[in-house]
Amino acid sequence: MAKDKTIFTCSECGGSSPKWLGKCPHCNAWNTLVEGLPESSSPVKNRFASLAKASEVTTLSSIEATDMAYTPTGHDELDRVLGGGIVEGGVVLIGGDPGIGKSTLLLQALDSLQRAGQNTLYVTGEESGAQVALRARRLGLDGSQVKVLAEIQLEKILATLGASEPAIAVIDSIQTVYSDQLTSAPGSVAQVRECAAHLTRAAKASGVCIVLVGHVTKEGALAGPRVLEHMVDTVLYFEGDTHSSFRLVRAIKNRFGAVNEIGVFAMTEKGLKGVSNPSAIFLSQHSEPVPGSCVMVTLEGTRPLLVEIQALVDSGGPSPRRLSVGLDRDRLAMLLAVLHRHAGVACMDQDVFVNAVGGVRITEPAADLAVMLAITSSLRGRALPKGFIAFGEVGLAGEVRPAPRGQERLKEAAKLGFTVAVVPKANAPKKSIEGLTIHAVERVEEALEVVRSLA
Ligand code: TYD
Ligand code: MG
């Protein structure tokens, strides 16, 4: 019955076909047809018709801009990535590897919200109600009033949302939800897209905040179409290595707050706990300085974070290896070339490994200077001074370029007891920072010279 209702749309050219074909009849692209519902299946013939009639055009200044009302979840680190808390009608997509703690964190958040008097709903498609209850007990959430619905059919979920009118609903996970109207299997691109679109519409119409849990593919992207990320207001990623207990929740898109904000959690026996001073995690706490280690201050969202960069330079074979964990490998090759050309430090016949401690991933170029200093320190077997930090981008010409918000980085370092800093000239503060000796440099050679004079 449902079969003749669906059509297949090409994700490349948008052309449609009544049946599935390997090749799009319009643009000849292979394997691009995706099942969907035809426009005519909606009650309104043209889906924009009602919108065009309903709204009138106004000037921006005449629209009252009300501040977003955030409802804190009671977990500071989660609120930080959300931009302050949950927002009415907001749709949040949260992705991450299996077992990283998505269900745990959301259950904890729902319980706090419920205790604060909000009506909540936890829709579980992956686990039974009993399993969720077991997790709640493990988390010490006895007597929790969070409402649980074990359901995977979209129409029933929408009906429950309409009937129980929660302030926040978690759908765990969007890949398990399916709609009767489509013939494809749950988890397929067509189902995920269609179900997410319906849920988003429900959120906007009723004001419920919906949190969609999404699976991550082997490549690390959210499974299902990319369009999912466009549909929702906020996209959060759970990161962290399952071997360590630390978890990062990163906002990569947020219509209600800053992106690249991170929340830091530790997985404990009693669920996820926020870590308010995360710098401590990313430093490996040597009692005495060791060669090949340099601490840098990176900026994660609005938060300066101290991270230790480690390098190991060891004699390699005929084709030496360059490996990096948590840092960009291409950038490492570039930095080695700059080191050689402009500072005369040659690692041609050496294996070079670099690592950002604590499983953190650093994408900003401000790590360059610390990476270089760690490499030179390892190569020479001489440790950097105690209480030393460095940051700054390094260019191909050997110049050291400023990093954004240098003042904040330096203040954070001083706060955590660091005493010596090598920074780009443009980042040197006009007023001195108590307890911190700052060496401003313009070139890589200069930075190495300063380090040599300090040792
Ligand atoms: P879970 O939230 O089920 O992960 P996801 O929903 O992202 O797949 O997390 C499960 C993991 O967390 C599991 O390996 C056990 C661990 N865990 C704890 O360490 N402490 C706890 O209190 C809980 C509930 C789970
Ligand atoms: Mg789960």
Side-chain angles (χ1 to χ4, degrees), residues 29-105:
W30 285 97
N31 216 4
T32 54
L33 290 188
V34 176
E35 191 186 22
L37 291 178
E39 296 296 343
S40 57
S41 76
S42 77
V44 187
K45 264 248 147 39
N46 174 349
R47 64 189 171 124
F48 299 114
S50 63
L51 281 178
K53 262 182 251 142
S55 2
E56 53 190 271
V57 179
T58 46
T59 55
L60 261 182
S61 63
S62 64
I63 302 174
E64 201 183 336
T66 43
D67 272 340
M68 218 57 86
Y70 297 100
T71 311
T73 61
H75 296 262
D76 291 348
E77 294 295 307
L78 180 60
D79 289 342
R80 180 197 295 275
V81 279
L82 287 172
I86 61 164
V87 174
E88 229 183 82
V91 182
V92 180
L93 176 65
I94 180 160
D97 292 332
I100 199 149
K102 301 181 292 293
S103 306
T104 305
L105 178 63

Side-chain angles (χ1 to χ4, degrees), residues 97-104 135 138-139 267-271:
D97 292 332
I100 199 149
K102 301 181 292 293
S103 306
T104 305
R135 175 177 298 120
R138 182 170 174 197
L139 292 171
M267 183 61 97
T268 67
E269 275 303 295
K270 288 244 174 292

Side-chain angles (χ1 to χ4, degrees), residues 123-126 150-155 157 176-179 186 195:
V123 181
T124 166
E126 303 201 331
E151 184 56 71
I152 55 173
Q153 199 196 325
L154 176 73
E155 287 72 20
I157 295 172
T176 57
V177 181
Y178 78 98
S179 163
C195 294

